[in-house]
Amino acid sequence: MISRLKGEWEDEYRRWQKRDLSARRYVYIWADGVYLQARMEPQAECMLVLMGATPEGKKELIGFQTGLRESAQSWKELLVDLKARGLSIAPEAAIGDGALGFWKALDEAFPSTRHQRCWQHKTLNVLDKFPKSMQPNAHKDLREIWLSPNRAAAEAAMTTFAEKYAAKYAKAVECLIKDREQMLTYYSFPADHWDHLRTSNPIESVFATVRHRTVRTKGALSQDTARLMVFKLVMAASKTWRRLKGQNQLPKVINGVKFKDGIEVASEIKSAA
């Protein structure tokens, strides 16, 4: 039975991996490399995952394969395969951890796509450079940045953070400041979308359930079996994924309408007139 199920899953996975994408478009994409506690060799490999938001606000799994998280080549192979199957229109923005090899590969595949670093990953990386006693205050100050109502306030809060901690915690400040521009890209998109754009959590939340299932069977999972099991679990979970907030704003983003601090620029011009 196990062999039969694995064979069926493999066939389904292969069909999905070869599906035609010429009619698909994704306004935003999220990228992450997810490590599972299942037995997967070689150890450095993980699941490279791409999710996307359609013009209707629906989230979909776009790409999924094993590879090296920090390797630009691994991500390039995934992106090249997607383009070869017809995914020709560049997403407006991509969200992910700064440590991913994804960014270099993205610039080659879709150079016009804007980068947004994940605030969840960045916060953890910055806090890791503080002593535990300082982390609650530093975390509060970081929240002041990404919850700012506009870009100017966020930049001011980031400058305040740097001035406050640079003398004793220079590495933490450097970790934050080095990606300054990419951390604040979301201010150029509709405010309704900010919660979705600030973090790659859509992928992490899905894989929290997957990890729970794979941990229980980790002794029995080879790399291939783990890949197929994860694929089936994610596809089942995708049926209940929530749509993006502010769906009515997505056609405007696609059509090149400009947004400043989450507000449509044209609206400001009209109101001024």
Side-chain angles (χ1 to χ4, degrees), residues 8-269:
E8 292 175 359
W9 293 354
E10 185 70 54
D11 290 341
E12 183 179 343
Y13 178 71
R14 286 176 180 172
R15 288 194 300 271
W16 183 81
Q17 287 284 56
K18 294 180 180 180
R19 73 198 187 284
D20 181 17
L21 296 173
S22 58
R24 308 305 294 163
R25 175 168 189 170
Y26 299 100
V27 187
Y28 306 127
I29 58 173
W30 295 268
D32 206 354
V34 183
Y35 291 98
L36 300 173
Q37 291 169 318
R39 179 163 55 88
M40 295 178 62
E41 299 85 8
Q43 290 183 340
E45 289 200 336
C46 66
M47 298 292 184
L48 305 183
V49 185
L50 281 180
M51 285 176 58
T54 69
E56 298 75 35
K58 182 181 177 183
K59 296 173 189 170
E60 293 182 353
L61 181 66
I62 309 173
F64 173 84
Q65 67 182 39
T66 55
L68 303 178
R69 192 175 191 273
E70 290 79 20
S71 167
Q73 180 61 33
S74 289
W75 287 101
K76 181 178 180 179
E77 291 169 7
L78 176 55
L79 290 171
V80 166
D81 177 62
L82 295 175
K83 291 189 73 173
R85 288 188 282 118
L87 189 63
S88 59
I89 303 177
E92 299 300 324
I95 304 93
D97 179 13
L100 296 176
F102 167 73
W103 300 109
K104 182 178 179 182
L106 178 69
D107 282 342
E108 294 182 15
F110 298 112
S112 66
T113 299
R114 302 189 63 177
H115 297 197
Q116 170 63 53
R117 296 290 192 268
C118 171
W119 269 99
Q120 185 176 23
H121 283 96
K122 179 62 73 175
T123 297
L124 292 173
N125 291 338
V126 172
L127 292 180
D128 188 53
K129 294 166 177 57
F130 282 94
K132 286 188 177 181
S133 61
M134 291 293 298
Q135 289 181 4
N137 286 336
H139 186 251
K140 181 180 178 181
D141 290 337
L142 288 169
R143 281 174 56 87
E144 287 290 325
I145 302 171
W146 57 263
L147 289 178
S148 294
N150 54 63
R151 187 185 181 98
E155 289 179 341
M158 196 175 288
T159 298
T160 299
F161 184 95
E163 292 174 349
K164 185 175 182 179
Y165 296 111
K168 293 189 67 175
Y169 307 106
K171 289 184 178 179
V173 171
E174 171 59 25
C175 180
L176 175 66
I177 298 300
K178 69 177 182 178
D179 294 321
R180 189 184 190 111
E181 287 299 314
Q182 293 85 358
M183 298 305 302
L184 304 178
T185 300
Y186 62 92
Y187 284 109
S188 297
F189 291 93
D192 286 339
H193 300 167
W194 288 358
D195 285 347
H196 304 292
L197 297 179
R198 282 191 291 238
T199 175
S200 55
N201 189 56
I203 293 178
E204 186 59 36
S205 60
V206 168
F207 275 82
T209 301
V210 172
R211 279 197 192 92
H212 179 70
R213 296 292 297 273
T214 54
V215 164
R216 295 188 173 193
T217 56
K218 62 181 179 180
L221 292 182
S222 66
Q223 181 182 357
D224 285 343
T225 304
R227 170 175 51 82
L228 295 174
M229 184 176 180
V230 169
F231 170 70
K232 289 295 292 182
L233 288 170
V234 172
M235 295 306 288
S238 68
K239 297 175 183 178
T240 62
W241 289 347
R242 294 181 179 179
R243 291 176 181 262
L244 266 64
K245 295 184 291 185
Q247 298 169 35
N248 61 316
Q249 302 289 341
L250 288 167
K252 295 180 181 179
V253 174
I254 291 172
N255 290 326
V257 174
K258 301 298 182 183
F259 289 81
K260 181 180 179 182
D261 295 330
I263 301 171
E264 185 179 338
V265 172
S267 299
E268 293 179 346
I269 295 172

